[in-house]
Amino acid sequence: MTEFKLAAGSVVKTGVTTSQLYPILRYGLAQNSPAHHFQASAEIGTKNVTPGIHIGELMAYFSACAGFCNNTSDIHHQHQNVMASFVGALQDKRGEKPVMPELETIAQHAGLPVVLEIILEEDCVLLADRHFVSDNEIDKSWKLWRSAYLQRDGGIPAGWIKQFYFPRLLDYRDVTTARNPRSLEQTTDTALMVGGLMQYWHKDAPGDLLAAFRKQYGRINFSQKSQFDETALERFFNLSAMIDPATRLLNQMTIWQDVDALAKKQGITLA
């Protein structure tokens, strides 16, 4: 098959981090937006780079997870001493917010995982995701793996992005007791990203993974969502979990710990 198109009106998703939301609102998704991958993946190289915007279903959660994990690793590497003190303070006084003014600058660069939901407003050409199929199997890439690269001059306009999904965000009261309902909801959200890791590493069928998730939790997206416009983004970034530096970094820590723990259960080691 030489060309495969998704029709106007099709709903697709892509995974990003919160740090990208305002630039995307202003400029849309560039036509060759680099896909998020894990830094340590042995498969990343020029021969595997496909031009276009990586779209998917469960693989959108993989991309959000990869972007989030890379961001978390970079922050902790660049600010080792401060982050070590922050983690120590969390452990010494569980449920109390550390008073550390130096966290403000660090938190500005902390990106949490987000999945954008897009409605195509015109027919768009797709290219195959070479991780799953060969170049000439684009129909299988989308129909079986729900993963592909969208081709469009000018990329995806911001107006095509209708809403975004994000995990449950916690505050310090939520981590004082074991099995807090909000903490459990965030862990469930994290399980979606690990489902994306399972699809990528084990090449599990995404339909089966999502069906199992829906059966257990009654949904196939992050538990929280918002419209994608200027007013909604301003409201999102003014949530206490986003605007307060220590609380944003707390959520980065709790999501990372869940991703790491759940991934290890599947035999997936994150660098």
Side-chain angles (χ1 to χ4, degrees), residues 38 44 76 135 242-243 258 261 271:
F38 284 87
I44 302 304
H76 283 250
D135 284 335
M242 293 300 297
I243 200 169
D258 280 343

Side-chain angles (χ1 to χ4, degrees), residues 78-235:
Q78 293 169 17
H79 307 280
Q80 292 182 41
N81 293 335
V82 174
M83 293 308 297
S85 298
F86 176 64
V87 172
L90 294 179
Q91 294 172 340
D92 292 341
K93 296 183 178 180
R94 190 173 181 84
E96 292 187 25
K97 183 170 69 174
V99 180
M100 299 176 62
E102 59 270 39
L103 295 178
E104 183 170 354
T105 300
I106 298 173
Q108 291 175 1
H109 303 287
L112 303 182
V114 171
V115 167
L116 305 177
E117 185 173 273
I118 303 158
I119 299 180
L120 303 183
E121 294 191 7
E122 61 185 52
D123 296 354
C124 292
V125 173
L126 299 189
L127 295 181
D129 184 338
R130 298 172 186 168
H131 178 72
F132 297 110
V133 298
S134 61
D135 284 335
N136 63 350
E137 295 181 301
I138 176 54
D139 53 334
K140 291 183 180 179
S141 184
W142 185 249
K143 292 177 181 177
L144 298 182
W145 296 104
R146 277 293 190 266
S147 185
Y149 288 82
L150 185 145
Q151 300 281 289
R152 181 181 181 274
D153 290 341
I156 293 177
W160 292 16
I161 305 169
K162 303 306 179 184
Q163 60 185 357
F164 65 95
Y165 295 91
F166 59 97
R168 169 64 69 185
L169 301 178
L170 309 179
D171 62 31
Y172 281 84
R173 294 170 296 179
D174 298 323
V175 296
T176 56
T177 58
R179 301 189 66 78
N180 177 282
R182 289 170 61 90
S183 294
L184 292 174
E185 189 170 31
Q186 187 183 85
T187 299
T188 300
D189 288 328
T190 302
L192 262 176
M193 294 193 289
V194 176
L197 302 184
M198 292 166 65
Q199 178 179 342
Y200 187 86
W201 261 274
H202 304 325
K203 295 193 176 179
D204 293 333
D208 294 341
L209 291 169
L210 286 170
F213 194 89
R214 185 193 293 276
K215 183 176 181 180
Q216 186 167 359
Y217 301 110
R219 58 183 170 87
I220 55 170
N221 289 300
F222 283 147
S223 60
Q224 311 302 300
K225 66 180 180 179
S226 170
Q227 297 300 305
F228 189 75
D229 55 43
E230 188 78 37
T231 301
L233 280 194
E234 183 177 356
R235 188 181 304 120

